[in-house]
């Protein structure tokens, strides 16, 4: 297993190029199953998760090529079965269910199960499929969805924590080939849902309202091949912004989208980190001392849960008390005890973390528990005095393209080493 060895205390300086969005690319890659014609997707980040989606598509019978950020998929003939070994490795693989159901009228997929950040049920995905007329059976750890015919329907997809991103994606994809009109109420408004709708429309689907809580899909008989460029990764962008603020650096972000990051930029400003547009770039720099900030994670356009851990590392450096409340996932505070090993003073009370910021951080060996927790530990290591070893960075490689290389180009002293 590999680790990052970081020698902290260097302010980040220079420019960083943002990759395509992992969470937009995954459902878009799955959507290529909806047509027997070839599709070309550009700006796909080279990550273990996207490589894994390639494997899944291939296992379903598609011919796939992934070269220089471009994925070409030709799903001429496919099968509708994804086993446990495939699905358990990546919860996001559930987004193949909608396309399989639409194209083959049946899908048999292993239930993904929970993960370290929470239970992650798929009841809302299944509720949407059932509303379209699919019969759902759960047996032996598998979910079977089958329908002679899918019929458009009006449905409410809001859940305990609000809308569901991949649930919305799945049902939207299934509805593209249904008979009649589907209306999804309480749909997720995330930019990744909008990007997927754009790709589906390029394939010939008729979707309107994506990006709002009401999405309308008028079913069509067939979808065709299409080309698409994936949107920039807003969470990678947020991560580099926070890293610049935490190290008291100044960086230019290239190829990011500020409009997708209003909540993050607003909180960074409040914390004393300025983000200014300069042509197509964003310039991120610290404005004097860091200040404490209260944050609650929410569905888009609220503060993203995927940037919560990184922001906690920054706020651990801000003198005063910050309260971070996690409203999307029930156990997404695994980074707290590892941040404590670096000297941070953070207490968990129910869904909130009370960050008593301002204590100096000092390097230590720490263990990454999930993707965004890993990013938080890297940021804390960059800001800490001395050496930090972040172990188990395979979590980080799932969602950040060449993060160590990008950080080195910004002056960070970070190296990939074999874990001892
Ligand atoms: N939920 C249900 N029932 C469902 C589906 C979800 O109760 O059927 C609950 C979840 O348990 C959670 C909330 O609804 O409490 C939101 O979950 P959502 O379905 O929106 O999450 P997701 O679609 O499975 C995607 C991203 C996550 C990101 C969340 C929230 C992908 C591949 N994953 O997951 O990304 O945190 O949306 O924005 O798009 C990450 O990149 O690190 C990551 C975890």
């Amino acid at each position: 297993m590999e680790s990052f060895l970081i020698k902290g205390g260097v302010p980040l300086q220079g420019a960083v190029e943002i990759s395509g969005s992992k969470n937009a690319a995954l459902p878009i890659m799955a959507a290529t199953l909806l047509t027997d014609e070839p599709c070309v997707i550009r700006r796909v980040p080279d990550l273990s998760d996207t490589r894994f989606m390639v494997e899944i598509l291939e296992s379903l019978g598609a011919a796939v090529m992934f070269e220089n950020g471009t994925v070409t998929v030709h799903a001429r003939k496919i099968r509708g079965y994804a086993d446990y070994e495939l699905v358990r490795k990546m919860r996001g693989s559930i987004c193949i269910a909608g396309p399989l159901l639409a194209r083959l009228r049946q899908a048999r997929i292993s239930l993904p199960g929970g993960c370290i950040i929470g239970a992650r049920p798929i009841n809302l995905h299944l509720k949407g499929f059932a509303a379209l007329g699919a019969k759902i059976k759960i047996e032996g750890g598998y979910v079977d969805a089958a329908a002679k015919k899918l019929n458009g329907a009006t449905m409410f997809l809001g859940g305990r924590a609000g809308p569901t991103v991949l649930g919305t994606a799945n049902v939207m994809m299934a509805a593209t080939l249904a008979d009649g009109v589907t209306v999804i109420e309480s749909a997720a408004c995330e930019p990744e849902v909008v990007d997927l709708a754009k790709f589906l429309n390029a394939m010939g689907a008729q979707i309107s309202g994506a990006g709002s809580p009401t999405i309308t899909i008028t079913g069509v008989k067939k979808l065709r091949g299409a080309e698409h460029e994936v949107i920039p990764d807003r969470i990678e962008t947020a991560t580099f912004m926070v890293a610049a603020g935490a190290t008291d650096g100044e960086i230019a972000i290239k190829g990011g989208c500020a409009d997708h990051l209003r909540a993050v930029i607003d909180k960074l400003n409040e914390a004393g980190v300025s983000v200014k547009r300069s042509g197509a770039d964003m310039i991120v720099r610290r404005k004097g001392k860091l200040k404490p900030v209260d944050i609650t994670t929410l569905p888009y356009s609220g503060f993203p849960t995927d940037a919560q851990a990184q922001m906690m590392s920054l706020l651990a450096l801000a003198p005063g008390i910050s309260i971070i409340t996690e409203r999307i996932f029930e156990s997404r505070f695994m980074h707290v005890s590892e941040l404590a090993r670096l000297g941070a003073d953070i207490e968990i009370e129910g869904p909130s973390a009370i960050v008593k910021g301002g204590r100096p951080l000092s390097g230590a060996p720490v263990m990454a528990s999930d993707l965004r927790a890993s990013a938080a530990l890297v940021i804390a290591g960059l800001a800490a005095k001395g050496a930090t070893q972040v172990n188990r960075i395979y979590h980080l490689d799932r969602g950040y393209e060449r993060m160590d290389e990008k950080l080195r180009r910004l002056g960070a002293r970070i190296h990939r080493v074999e874990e001892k």
Side-chain angles (χ1 to χ4, degrees), residues 22-23 120-124 160 164-166 306 328 372:
K22 164 181 84 85
N23 289 348
R120 310 198 72 178
I122 58 161
N123 59 310
L124 298 168
R160 182 186 54 78
T164 161
V165 177
L166 288 178
D306 291 344
I328 307 296
R372 308 304 172 186

Side-chain angles (χ1 to χ4, degrees), residues 22-24 26-27 92 117 119-126 159-167 190 192 234-235 305-306 327-330 332 370-372:
K22 164 181 84 85
N23 289 348
L26 292 174
I117 63 174
R120 310 198 72 178
I122 58 161
N123 59 310
L124 298 168
H125 303 229
L126 301 182
R160 182 186 54 78
T164 161
V165 177
L166 288 178
E190 270 68 2
E192 294 76 18
R234 64 192 168 103
I235 305 302
T305 172
D306 291 344
R327 290 275 178 227
I328 307 296
F329 291 109
E330 57 268 33
R332 209 174 197 181
D370 67 80
L371 170 56
R372 308 304 172 186

Side-chain angles (χ1 to χ4, degrees), residues 24-42 44 53-54 56-58 60-65 71-78 95-96 98-100 103 173 176-177 196 199-200 203 223-228:
L26 292 174
I28 288 172
M29 288 169 78
T32 61
L33 295 170
L34 285 161
T35 176
D36 58 6
E37 296 181 15
C39 294
V40 179
I41 307 158
R42 300 184 208 287
V44 176
M53 184 53 95
V54 168
I56 293 181
L57 297 178
E58 284 174 339
L60 296 170
V64 189
M65 250 180 30
V71 172
T72 309
V73 186
H74 193 179
R76 201 193 308 262
K77 262 186 99 176
I78 52 167
C95 62
I96 59 172
L100 291 179
R103 172 118 174 246
M173 290 190 279
T176 54
L177 294 176
L196 172 64
F199 176 58
L200 292 169
M203 294 174 83
L223 294 176
R224 54 178 180 267
E227 294 199 18
H228 184 77

Side-chain angles (χ1 to χ4, degrees), residues 52 56 59-60 79-98 100 106-114 119-123 125-126 129 136-145 170:
F52 188 59
I56 293 181
S59 82
L60 296 170
R79 65 182 188 134
Y81 170 69
D83 74 11
Y84 181 61
E85 281 315 305
L86 279 179
V87 176
R88 79 179 168 86
K89 290 196 206 146
M90 183 173 76
R91 243 135 293 272
S93 53
I94 190 65
C95 62
I96 59 172
L100 291 179
Q106 61 170 29
R108 178 170 163 77
I109 294 174
S110 167
L111 283 165
R120 310 198 72 178
I122 58 161
N123 59 310
H125 303 229
L126 301 182
F129 296 156
I136 311 286
K137 223 171 55 190
I138 294 177
E139 222 173 48
Y142 280 79
V143 53
D144 277 298
N170 242 339

Side-chain angles (χ1 to χ4, degrees), residues 211-293:
S212 82
T214 307
I215 299 180
T216 305
I217 306 121
T218 304
V220 296
K221 287 268 172 292
K222 204 170 162 13
L223 294 176
R224 54 178 180 267
E227 294 199 18
H228 184 77
E229 181 173 303
V230 173
I231 53 169
D233 196 309
R234 64 192 168 103
I235 305 302
E236 186 198 25
T237 311
T239 303
F240 278 101
M241 286 175 169
V242 173
T247 58
D248 202 0
E250 176 171 342
I251 66 169
I253 301 220
K254 296 190 171 293
C257 177
D259 289 343
H260 292 167
L261 281 161
R262 288 191 210 281
V264 173
I265 293 173
D266 187 61
K267 288 297 171 185
L268 281 171
N269 284 338
E270 237 184 272
V273 179
S274 95
V275 179
K276 293 244 154 61
R277 292 191 203 213
S278 163
D281 297 352
M282 287 177 266
I283 309 293
V284 187
R285 73 166 72 95
R286 195 119 119 211
K287 309 174 290 193
K289 267 175 84 175
L290 289 173
K291 294 188 271 296
V293 169

